[in-house]
Amino acid sequence: MRGQILSFDEASGTGLISGDDGIRYSFNRDAVTPPASVTSGLRVDFVPVAGEATNIMLLAAAPAPSGPSATPGVPVDSFNFQHVLFSFNGRIRRQHFWIGWLICLGLGVVLGWIPRLGTLLSIALIWPNLAISVKRLHDMGHTGWLVIIPWIAGIGGIIAAFMSVGAAALMSGGSWESEDPAVVLGILGPVLGILAIVGLIQLGFLLWIGISDSQRGDNRFGPNPKGE
């Protein structure tokens, strides 16, 4: 199996190798053949035995084209549809988040042209939208439960809009039935303001998780998907 040396302690002669299978293996300098200088970033070929790397052969000092990711066996630069769109575990980088988001957006537009069945299928897109958002929050080092922020804003905005229309209709009395433009504008104005605020919150959340950089190194949700 091949992998990359993540760390090496010169004093103790021990280190850690990240295998291309996404699993990390400990090793001793004595396992390196032929004896050579061992540093982080070296590509190696080794034999895994019970979580330890043996028969290690140094290959090159250049970093691997791919490295550890949030899902074992998934290279850093690969886009795994199943993991990105359907799993809530691990982390994904910004590039993969936007790819997943565009896929969901495109499917939503297409399904919008299909009557009835398209509406039902569009509901299923909630799952991949939540999945990519949760893993992006994980990548930033935050709990995935923060994904409820735009949903709470949307539901709260709808409730506030209905309450605003109801209150305005009661206060305006018969003026609403007369279709007076000033009355209609007075009722719809606050509603449009509420919807604008909700839209800004949801847009801000999208940009926050879509632009913020990954948390460097490993965190409680898994390895850095960029290998940093």
Side-chain angles (χ1 to χ4, degrees):
M1 180 185 297
R2 296 197 173 187
Q4 179 178 330
I5 295 178
L6 289 181
S7 61
F8 179 72
D9 183 12
E10 190 71 36
S12 63
T14 59
L16 199 62
I17 292 176
S18 174
D20 287 350
D21 59 353
I23 300 176
R24 300 187 174 188
Y25 301 88
S26 60
F27 74 96
N28 294 312
R29 183 205 297 274
D30 297 340
V32 179
T33 55
S37 176
V38 179
T39 57
S40 300
L42 289 174
R43 287 288 290 168
V44 296
D45 188 276
F46 65 97
V47 177
V49 178
E52 185 173 353
T54 62
N55 298 331
I56 303 171
M57 179 179 298
L58 303 182
L59 299 178
S66 61
S69 65
T71 301
V74 178
V76 166
D77 293 327
S78 70
F79 184 90
N80 184 286
F81 282 89
Q82 182 177 359
H83 171 64
V84 173
L85 296 177
F86 300 106
S87 173
F88 285 80
N89 299 319
R91 304 164 60 178
I92 57 172
R93 59 194 306 177
R94 288 172 292 184
Q95 177 185 0
H96 292 174
F97 167 80
W98 285 113
I99 293 175
W101 185 83
L102 289 174
I103 290 174
C104 292
L105 177 63
L107 289 174
V109 172
V110 172
L111 293 175
W113 290 92
I114 304 175
R116 297 183 182 179
L117 179 60
T119 302
L120 294 176
L121 294 177
S122 295
I123 297 176
L125 291 178
I126 295 176
W127 183 281
N129 271 295
L130 288 175
I132 61 175
S133 299
V134 167
K135 290 194 293 295
R136 190 77 261 280
L137 287 165
H138 289 173
D139 189 41
M140 297 158 58
H142 303 299
T143 174
W145 285 106
L146 292 179
V147 77
I148 66 175
I149 291 176
W151 293 88
I152 291 178
I155 295 173
I158 292 174
I159 295 174
F162 274 112
M163 292 178 62
S164 175
V165 170
L170 289 175
M171 293 178 63
S172 62
S175 300
W176 172 260
E177 297 179 358
S178 66
E179 299 183 357
D180 185 348
V183 175
V184 175
L185 183 61
I187 294 176
L188 295 182
V191 174
L192 295 177
I194 292 172
L195 296 179
I197 293 173
V198 171
L200 288 175
I201 293 175
Q202 294 178 336
L203 177 61
F205 183 84
L206 174 66
L207 294 177
W208 177 51
I209 64 175
I211 295 177
S212 299
D213 198 1
S214 303
Q215 184 179 50
R216 296 186 66 85
D218 297 355
N219 64 20
R220 58 195 174 111
F221 301 106
N224 189 312
K226 297 193 296 185
E228 298 179 351

